[in-house]
Amino acid sequence: MTPRGEESVGTGRLDTALADTVRRTGASAGGVYLLDEPAQALHLAVMCGVPAEVALPWSRMAVAAPFPVTDAVREDRLVWVASQDDMARAYPRAAAGLPYRFALAAAPLPGRARCWGALLLLWPASHPEAATRREQGHITAAARRIAHTLDQAPVPAAAPTRPRLIPVTADRAADPSHHAAADYVERLPEGAVALDLEGRITFLDSTAAALLGREADRLRGTRPWQSLPWLDAPLAEDHYRTAVISRDPVAFTTLRPPDTYLRFELHPDASGISVRITRATPPDGPGPAPPGPAPAGGYAPAPTAPGTTPPAPSTPAPAGTATPAPPGAVPAGAGAPGAAQVGRLYQLLHLAAALTETVAVRDVVDLVAQQILPAFDADGLVLSAADAGRLRITGHHGYDPQVIDRLDGLPLDTDLTPAGDVLATGVPSFFADPAEMARGYPRAPKISGKQAWAFLPLVISGRPVGCCILSYDHPRPFTADERAVLTSLAGLIAQALDRARLYDAVHDLAHGLQQALLPRSLPTVAGLRIAARYLPASHGMNVGGDFYDVIRIDPTTVAAVIGDVQGHNVAAAALMGQVRTAIHATAGAAPDQVLARTNRVLADLETDLLVSCLYMHIDLARGRAVLAGAGHPPPLLHQPGRPPGPLPLDPAPLLGVDVDLSFAVTDLLLTPGTTLALYTDGLIEVPGADPDRITADLARYLAAHASQDPGLVVDGLIRHAWRSGRYTDDIAMLLLRAEPQTS
């Protein structure tokens, strides 16, 4: 299937641009991700230099996910990962699925009017860890050229359905000397095999066929670990993947049953892998001699005879790569039928690492939809849980809402779908086509129109708690490998879903308590425009002790308060309510007295939590405000005709530090147009950024937009500080603007 993104940029344009970039930068592999803005996801459109199955787990990624290409797009910068150690530290989820040595760069594709996506480049393990300034310039220039190619496309690029694999180099032209080269190889006393980057055998000589024990015609076009049962083990494929990704020479020794040890030396480049095969020394005796002339057809193995140890590889493998097995090494094994391929194993590791990062049920559903569905080429998802004897759907993707309404709430013993039976037995069910499904559940295929299904029980401690359904828009057989991986994956999904449901229950309780304690509405006061926002952290418990309030004292006097209780839990939310009550009880007194009395209330509560607070007494009739703070960030101040910035306040400790604290006050003249932005520290504590610089930047933004509606200004300040929208802490904001009073 041709990706839609390929068609939209014209045949070959994006392919040529990527291949040229890989050659010019000296990279070993590369790919172009296109940004799907509505879905906020990156789709791999075209790639070269690595097998397609290696990139499968990363063919679609949410922009918010932690990966180099997503960071490049989100932060609009070049991301350089120098080594596997750097990858493990910065991107542990990606490192779990790619445990190889290589260097990596990701750069955004800056178009004329939008970011098109990201360029991804990989270098061999031999690349220096530091990228020079000149090299970084080449990478960013290449990204701009690809973005220009996308800008010039007659039809805008769209998210592809699947990535297109292209060669890095052009096909080598036919040369008469190739026959002489083949004759030369045939005369050597060792086997020669050529693999393409997908791992398929493109050439082997008769000696190699003899050593491998199979006719050459039956091996060409196959992958060795699939066509040779004794190589059907993760070890062989993992060595191949190490060579093709790290571009390191790799050597290993394995047993060809019953008693022949073979040594494989893999030498990779941009076009494929050359493999040298020789006899190896057995663990318990002298090694067999190199084979003699191969028999006709190259099928029968050469006889074993005492001889010498085969020579060492011509190019030593760098540190950290696979090395030849010494005498006594464990053989690769006979490889049981149906053994999972190493790519599936690493894919499972990648998905397992991703599932550990999910928090809420919505996170689990999104992860399964964004990464697990593409990994298994599925089109639809339904997650359901057993609740009071019924199947309650907790999440879905790729289904019409009317179908979901019909399936939601079915009894567990329903014959409309296999989900109930799967829950009752704990045994997965696979249906390759509608006819197979209709034999047991005649009405099921007619409901959704899907053509193949995998029903996976979600089991926790031996107890089925739900069912995960993957569905397909086309008939599809399920191999033993896929069934094994999907069944294992269901266990990981069950654990993640169970944690997420518990989290959601606690969160709903705590968040409901917090919302009940925040003011439902703010008073309308002549001469004062007011706007407020509370935003929970986008990650973690999503509930904390941030609060704000505006308290009317009389028609021309109000009190404004903002604060932050330490912690993100139910205790913090409950204490926040008690602090607000204490402030309400003393509002109208001098600001320093309000804070002092609130501090004594905290001492009486004997809590271990501390509270930052800023209290402001506003007298609109006199155009004057008096402020006092307790360890809280000073408000941003803008007055027409004056430079904006934080309002200087005398520092004071947090509430709860000492029962006998005193608090200094600050006077402020409220001229018409004076705007104050009160906020909690979650607004300015952006990871990797200087809070002072962010504060100064926000003050300039406030001055530039102070005349706008206060609600729009508050929203703009939050977006300006947190461009990604993923807040790491709660944010409370209160914006106050003095207006001319009408008589």
Side-chain angles (χ1 to χ4, degrees):
M1 184 182 299
T2 303
R4 295 191 303 273
E6 301 279 353
E7 295 168 351
S8 63
V9 296
T11 303
R13 288 188 185 180
L14 192 56
D15 300 6
T16 302
L18 175 62
D20 287 348
T21 296
V22 170
R23 288 193 296 270
R24 290 180 182 181
T25 58
S28 57
V32 171
Y33 282 84
L34 295 180
L35 175 61
D36 181 355
E37 290 184 321
Q40 280 297 285
L42 289 171
H43 298 259
L44 183 58
V46 58
M47 56 178 290
C48 61
V50 293
E53 61 265 20
V54 171
L56 190 60
W58 298 274
S59 60
R60 184 183 188 277
M61 291 182 287
V63 173
F67 292 100
V69 290
T70 56
D71 279 0
V73 171
R74 270 198 325 271
E75 301 170 13
D76 190 27
R77 67 179 178 91
L78 173 67
V79 175
W80 176 261
V81 180
S83 64
Q84 179 65 14
D85 288 343
D86 283 355
M87 179 73 82
R89 282 192 295 268
Y91 305 99
R93 187 195 303 181
L98 284 173
Y100 307 109
R101 296 174 60 234
F102 60 90
L104 175 151
L109 302 177
R112 284 194 301 262
R114 55 166 289 187
C115 175
W116 284 107
L119 167 68
L120 177 68
L121 295 171
L122 276 69
W123 284 266
S126 57
H127 189 284
E129 287 198 359
T132 64
R133 182 173 300 180
R134 180 183 181 89
E135 188 172 23
Q136 293 178 26
H138 285 328
I139 297 168
T140 54
R144 287 195 295 270
R145 285 194 298 270
I146 292 176
H148 180 70
T149 299
L150 294 166
D151 282 333
Q152 298 300 313
V155 180
T161 54
R162 64 176 63 215
R164 169 178 166 83
L165 184 64
I166 63 169
V168 177
T169 57
D171 293 336
R172 293 167 181 168
D175 189 331
S177 64
H178 288 178
H179 295 290
D183 291 340
Y184 166 78
V185 170
E186 286 289 346
R187 289 189 290 267
L188 294 176
E190 57 190 34
V193 177
L195 305 178
D196 63 15
L197 293 178
E198 295 289 317
R200 290 183 293 264
I201 297 174
T202 57
F203 166 83
L204 76 164
D205 65 358
S206 57
T207 305
L211 289 170
L212 296 175
R214 181 158 296 189
E215 294 175 352
D217 289 344
R218 296 180 61 187
L219 290 173
R220 273 190 290 267
T222 70
R223 293 179 173 89
W225 50 90
Q226 294 174 348
S227 55
L228 298 168
W230 49 276
L231 276 179
D232 185 14
L235 176 66
E237 186 182 353
D238 195 34
H239 284 313
Y240 149 74
R241 288 164 65 98
T242 299
V244 78
I245 296 175
S246 299
R247 297 292 161 88
D248 277 337
V250 175
F252 66 97
T253 299
T254 190
L255 171 68
R256 194 200 79 193
D259 55 7
T260 302
Y261 283 84
L262 297 178
R263 175 184 171 85
F264 294 81
E265 298 174 16
L266 284 65
H267 299 273
D269 72 358
S271 62
I273 300 176
S274 296
V275 183
R276 178 176 175 238
I277 308 176
T278 55
R279 292 184 181 274
T281 304
D284 54 355
Y299 175 66
T304 302
T308 58
T309 302
S314 56
T315 305
T321 60
T323 55
V330 177
Q341 296 178 4
V342 71
R344 285 294 194 197
L345 296 177
Y346 285 135
Q347 186 180 64
L348 194 59
L349 283 174
H350 164 71
L351 296 174
L355 283 167
T356 62
E357 299 177 5
T358 56
V359 177
V361 170
R362 185 70 254 171
D363 297 335
V364 178
V365 175
D366 289 344
L367 176 70
V368 175
Q370 293 167 4
Q371 297 196 35
I372 294 177
L373 291 191
F376 293 92
D377 201 25
D379 305 294
L381 162 74
V382 175
L383 281 176
S384 59
D387 182 15
R390 293 188 175 273
L391 286 166
R392 299 294 181 185
I393 293 178
T394 57
H396 61 90
H397 177 83
Y399 277 84
D400 188 290
Q402 293 181 350
V403 174
I404 297 301
D405 289 341
R406 186 174 179 186
L407 296 174
D408 193 19
L410 289 173
L412 292 179
D413 59 355
T414 179
D415 61 355
L416 196 60
T417 167
D421 289 342
V422 168
L423 260 174
T425 63
V427 178
S429 294
F430 300 87
F431 301 91
D433 53 53
E436 187 176 351
M437 170 72 84
R439 284 194 287 271
Y441 305 90
R443 293 186 291 169
K446 301 175 183 177
I447 296 177
S448 63
K450 300 295 185 181
Q451 301 294 301
W453 301 262
F455 288 80
L456 310 171
L458 304 178
V459 181
I460 302 292
S461 301
R463 177 175 56 92
V465 296
C467 183
C468 175
I469 306 170
L470 302 184
S471 58
Y472 299 79
D473 291 339
H474 51 84
R476 187 183 193 277
F478 294 91
T479 65
D481 170 29
E482 288 176 324
R483 294 182 185 221
V485 173
L486 284 171
T487 302
S488 300
L489 189 60
L492 299 174
I493 294 174
Q495 296 286 343
L497 195 60
D498 193 51
R499 292 194 309 268
R501 291 176 65 186
L502 178 60
Y503 167 86
D504 282 350
V506 175
H507 166 264
D508 290 344
L509 173 63
H511 194 63
L513 172 62
Q514 185 180 46
Q515 291 299 318
L517 295 173
L518 287 172
R520 294 181 179 273
S521 62
L522 299 175
T524 301
V525 183
L528 190 67
R529 297 284 301 278
I530 306 171
R533 295 288 187 272
Y534 170 77
L535 297 173
S538 60
H539 222 40
M541 186 62 191
N542 282 355
V543 63
D546 290 24
F547 66 94
Y548 62 85
D549 209 348
V550 178
I551 307 164
R552 181 192 293 273
I553 298 172
D554 61 43
T556 62
T557 307
V558 296
V561 61
I562 193 165
D564 185 0
V565 179
Q566 178 186 20
H568 293 82
N569 49 37
V570 175
L575 184 60
M576 176 263 285
Q578 293 170 307
V579 170
R580 281 191 63 232
T581 301
I583 292 174
H584 264 267
T586 55
D592 57 331
Q593 292 303 309
V594 171
L595 293 184
R597 294 171 187 175
T598 304
N599 187 49
R600 285 193 288 273
V601 170
L602 279 179
D604 292 340
L605 293 173
E606 297 182 350
T607 177
D608 293 331
L609 301 179
L610 303 177
V611 180
S612 73
C613 188
L614 179 66
Y615 181 91
M616 180 187 304
H617 182 90
I618 302 173
D619 187 340
L620 293 169
R622 299 173 58 192
R624 179 172 175 265
V626 182
L627 300 86
H632 199 84
L636 301 177
L637 171 65
H638 167 66
Q639 290 179 312
R642 296 187 179 183
L647 175 65
L649 295 178
D650 289 333
L654 296 164
L655 300 179
V657 171
D658 187 350
V659 69
D660 295 321
L661 291 176
S662 60
F663 303 90
V665 296
T666 300
D667 288 321
L668 176 66
L669 186 65
L670 288 181
T671 56
T674 297
T675 304
L676 286 158
L678 286 65
Y679 57 90
T680 54
D681 56 9
L683 178 69
I684 60 172
E685 293 183 350
V686 180
D690 180 10
D692 292 337
R693 185 178 60 81
I694 292 179
T695 301
D697 196 24
L698 291 176
R700 289 190 292 270
Y701 183 93
L702 178 64
H705 300 83
S707 61
Q708 294 182 358
D709 178 82
L712 295 177
V713 177
V714 171
D715 293 337
L717 286 168
I718 296 172
R719 285 195 304 270
H720 198 67
W722 289 90
R723 299 179 189 276
S724 69
R726 294 182 62 81
Y727 328 111
T728 58
D729 195 3
D730 296 18
I731 298 174
M733 283 202 69
L734 187 60
L735 190 128
L736 308 168
R737 180 193 299 155
E739 299 282 340
Q741 296 197 47
T742 58
S743 55

